[in-house]
Each structure stands twice: as C-alpha cells, then as structure tokens.
Amino acid sequence: QVPHLSLNLPGLKNEEASRELGFVFEADLDSQVLSEEAIGSRRLNPLETLILVRACSEAIIARGLETLGVMHPHWYSASPEEQRKLISLFLKSLPAKTAITTLSPTPSAIATAFDSEISSNQSPYDVAAVLRWGLRHLQLDGRSFGKDDEWYKTFFDAERSAGWPPNGFTSTLAPLLPTSHLELLT
C-alpha cells in the first residue's frame, strides 16, 4: 500500500499565526505594528538591549551624527508611528520567551525586516527615539543590582587602595559586574 498525503491543509487557527505569516510573505509592515500596551509593557534583558543599541548606534553613526538635536526627545520631525513600527519589528524579531545565548541570533524574515527598516529609515530622530525606548525598558539581571550599595563600596575601596589607577573600570569594577551588564557597558 502506497502512503497517501491529504491535500486538505488546515486553516489558520488564530490571528497571531496570520500576523507571523505576513512577515514570511513580506506583507505590509505597517499592519504589523504592536499596540501601545504591548510596547509599553515589554521589558528587555541586557542582551536584547545590547542588540538594539548596536543596531540603532550603527544607523545613527551612518546618518545622524551631525544631526542637530538627534538625542533630544520629542523633536518636531520625529514620527511616533515610525517609532512604533521600528519597535514592533524589533520585538517581533526576538525569539519568543526563550533565552538568547549568542550575540548574533539567526536572521529570520522579521529580523531582516527590522534591519532593513532601521538602515533605510530616513529620520535619525526616530532611530534615536527607539534607542532611548530600549534603554528605558532595560531590566537588569538580579533583584539587588543597583539597589544594594555594597558592590559599589567594594569597587570604591579597591580603587582607592590601588591609588586610583587609570584602568580602574576594567581592573576593579568589571569583575564585580554580571557578564551581561558588562557586555552592555563596553
């Protein structure tokens, strides 16, 4: 008996699946924008923030270093709709609720769409706004980091006892920081 494949393909089960297919078939990116609530409630881990900071920095360096007020919030030519689109593309390019284990995740259609949009975006003000959004939504690892002064006192005492060396950050502070935080700082 020969195996037989049914040609009855199942329909889409929900709207979420259809939105993801839109990226596969390069549908209109404007229809893929997340809601204000979804964007506002999303927190980025240090590695996700690092990926966003690098992408935005490259775009600003390429097109916006000499732009007046590029980091000034609410610039008159900034477009909140364009910013929401860029943030939505970035968030959709991240793996869903899985830990990122490398600094260069595998490119997907969504990641490619984000890279393409951020590199072709004509306004460095919008890219700078996305960068600021990413920094505001950074959630540091650990519950006590930044709330407990002990790590800074340890750094301060070690730096003072070493005679305030010029490489105090790399020799004294860096070993006290979590690796993901250090990656974001350097």
Side-chain angles (χ1 to χ4, degrees), residues 86-157:
L86 287 171
I87 292 168
S88 296
L89 285 171
F90 174 72
L91 291 177
K92 288 178 177 257
S93 73
L94 298 173
K97 301 290 182 193
T98 57
I100 300 174
T101 57
T102 178
L103 292 181
S104 54
T106 58
S108 66
I110 300 170
T112 305
F114 170 71
D115 292 338
S116 173
E117 276 295 306
I118 203 149
S119 63
S120 68
N121 186 309
Q122 298 304 311
S123 175
Y125 299 108
D126 293 332
V127 176
V130 171
L131 173 65
R132 290 191 307 272
W133 174 87
L135 294 174
R136 281 193 315 270
H137 286 81
L138 167 64
Q139 183 173 349
L140 296 174
D141 298 332
R143 296 181 183 192
S144 66
F145 188 78
K147 297 177 183 164
D148 179 16
D149 292 337
E150 193 59 38
W151 71 270
Y152 183 75
K153 288 177 186 174
T154 303
F155 162 66
F156 181 76
D157 293 339

Side-chain angles (χ1 to χ4, degrees), residues 6 17 24 46 48 59 61 71-72 79 119 125 143 150 159 167:
S6 169
V24 173
E48 293 167 340
I61 288 169
M71 291 304 286
H72 189 276
S79 167
S119 63
Y125 299 108
R143 296 181 183 192
E150 193 59 38
E159 190 177 35
N167 64 346

